[in-house]
Amino acid sequence: MKKFLVILLATLFVLSFARPLKVALLLNGTLGDKSFFDSAGRGIQMAIKELGIEAKIIEAGYQQERWRPYLEDLSDQDYDIIIVGTWQMQEILEEIAPMYPEKKYFIFDTSVDYSKPGLDNVYSILYKQNEGSFLVGALAALITTSGMPKTNPEPIIGFLGGMDIPVINDFLVGYIEGAKYVNPNIKVLISYVGSFNDPAKGKELSLAMYRQGADIIFNVAGNTGVGLLEAAKEADRWAIGVDSDQALIYEDIDIEIAKRIVTSMMKNVDISIFRGLKLHLEGKLKYGQAEALGIAEGGVGVADNKYYRELVPEQIRAKIKEIEEKILKGEIKVSTAYGMSTDELNKLRSSVRP
Amino acid sequence: MSNFFQNFIDPAFWYSVLRVSTPLLFAVMAALVSSISGSINIGIEGMMLMAAFWGNVVGAFVKNPWIGLVAGVASAMAMSLLLAFSHLKLRVNLVIAGVALNLFGSGFTVFMLFALTGEKGTSASLGSQPIPRLDIPLLRDIPFLGKVLNNHNALTYLALISIFLVDYLIRKTPLGMRMRAVGENPDAATSVGVSVLRVKYLSLLLSGVFAGFAGAFLSMGYVSWFARDMTSGRGFIALAAQALGGNSAILGALGALLFGIAEATGFTLQSLRIPSEITNMIPFILTLVVLIIYARTRVRSHSRIQKI
């Protein structure tokens, strides 16, 4: 009997080495959001197909009280890597990860606080929004003087921010630099709503910017940004979406809005998860720290959907591709708002004041 | 800076002032009809939120904005009835009951939104049924004014009309006089046979109707979705505007327009790179300034009476 057990354990031991990597993706929501969660799901499917991993996607729904038990259950099972995402999961993961030091965790679009103990098994994925914003800034500056329908000849573009805070200004810095890169005389109207929950005010501020000659506005305002999209429809001008492909989100809800979103500055959750799993299998992934993914890693980019291809002329798209290449090669360095002093930021803002 | 002054002769600016002011106008009327009979309606914010939610959701489900509007107003009336019942019947402190209604409105709408759509942010996935805009032939052709006044949401016109309706109601009709009497001196009103309770119920209910229109405008006119906490303090601004106007509907409406102008100016100033913290403060700084001026003139007129 004892012998049998030893053999059994030995085979289990060997098998456990031979078996494929087992990954669980825990969504604090459901698939079908056409945004982060669907994108994360695509990343897992890609990894199953190309890396030969074994994976399961668990939809925990939107009730917050269910997220923590789900994560604990999954951690008790035999998964090697458990992936979660968004800032809402950060605190829960910070509590659970130290209890299971033999497991590995990914968290995307936020970083756990590594000054807390026991988080050496967590890999945090951040996105370099400044690089993505550089691209859409350049795109906006090209569009505003391109003579495209709904544009005026004045080189004025707009930016709608939720609040005057570093993460939003990181978008802004990239946006301004990108716009100035293609047109040094560009003017950028900048508005902060002061709230992520006031679409009416977002709409009013956007209409004011459109009225002052902006033909295209970049939406960096969460729920408030819904107001910008409505304003674009009402004023019949252009908008640029953020985070996910907003044209596809609005396609089913209101086609008139989708038709005015030339593109979106995307955070590519799918590519970032795939990349992380690949690095893990190669043994190169560094746990216990956060990594910011930019254009070079495929972490951010311009949404290349049918609206982008139909609305934006060929030569502008080629130019954007060219700028993307340059950032990739390191010929263009995009500044970041993190660590930038208020004086520097104000200088940058006033350099594009109309 | 020339840009800034050009702004004021741009009809589009005044058009947006009217649009910004519409929910405030309704809310000021809501504040006025309740305060005139002696009960300050702190719960306007919550009633607006409720009406914004039900107006949009019911409108989307039955595919008719007008039925949605009725549902929205009805939900705000239900809230005001609850407020009146707990204050007048159960003797709950009016301010506390009002605050409770606001908190309830904020939580309940998000809860119902989640139950109906599975989302907690906006009701965008339901589709939308906005209340139509009116293109008025004669008005359209007037230079400048046509651009300012024409092609507004139907509720904007209703808001403008309601100023005069409320003004007439409280100054000329028997009901209005009773409301004022109850507000000034309930004992005196009782002594001449006015039912204080009934008048107070009525004026709170009427307050709910106006708060309902204010909320419905936010989700069915201003934008075409409901978003959580979308009233963003407009109910409280309206209370301040009503305080400026005292017992006059016309002055209260002017107060609301003043806020509208301040807010619309803030929007324009912002894109000229005045820091957003300052532009977002403008309506509230204005409240303080006007209240101080108002209080001082009141003090003066009081002291004059005493001298005589």
Side-chain angles (χ1 to χ4, degrees), chain A residues 301-312:
Chain A
V302 168
D304 188 8
N305 57 30
K306 68 171 194 234
Y307 296 97
Y308 182 57
R309 270 165 299 192
E310 270 172 31
L311 297 170
V312 182

Side-chain angles (χ1 to χ4, degrees), chain A residues 99-144:
Chain A
M99 289 155 49
Y100 300 89
E102 75 287 359
K103 301 275 179 194
K104 301 289 185 199
Y105 296 90
F106 287 9
I107 185 163
F108 59 85
D109 202 33
T110 185
S111 168
V112 291
D113 181 359
Y114 286 106
S115 63
K116 292 185 182 167
L119 294 171
D120 297 334
N121 54 342
V122 180
Y123 165 62
S124 303
I125 304 171
L126 298 170
Y127 302 93
K128 287 183 187 163
Q129 51 259 11
N130 56 334
E131 289 191 4
S133 304
F134 189 93
L135 286 182
V136 295
L139 178 70
L142 286 170
I143 284 178
T144 189

Side-chain angles (χ1 to χ4, degrees), chain A residues 191-192 203-204 226 230, chain B residues 19 133 222 224-225 267 270:
Chain A
S191 293
Y192 297 97
K203 181 177 178 182
E204 206 57 56
V226 173
E230 283 243 349
Chain B
R19 185 179 42 211
R133 294 170 177 215
Y222 214 144
S224 46
W225 297 306
F267 298 149
Q270 236 200 67

Side-chain angles (χ1 to χ4, degrees), chain B residues 43 46-47 50 74-84 101-102 104-105:
Chain B
M47 294 176 191
M50 207 69 154
S75 69
M77 283 171 75
M79 293 270 280
S80 67
L81 206 59
L82 189 65
L83 179 68
L101 277 194
N102 290 339
F104 171 72

Side-chain angles (χ1 to χ4, degrees), chain B residues 38-111:
Chain B
S39 22
I40 294 176
N41 187 355
I42 301 278
I44 292 178
E45 181 92 358
M47 294 176 191
M48 282 170 69
L49 208 51
M50 207 69 154
F53 177 74
W54 288 113
N56 183 278
V57 167
V58 172
F61 271 115
V62 300
K63 304 243 172 292
N64 182 329
W66 302 107
I67 296 178
L69 179 65
V70 170
V73 171
S75 69
M77 283 171 75
M79 293 270 280
S80 67
L81 206 59
L82 189 65
L83 179 68
F85 177 74
S86 41
H87 171 54
L88 300 172
K89 180 87 179 173
L90 306 178
R91 298 274 159 204
V92 178
N93 181 302
L94 191 59
V95 174
I96 293 173
V99 170
L101 277 194
N102 290 339
L103 295 175
F104 171 72
S106 170
F108 185 71
T109 49
V110 177
F111 171 73

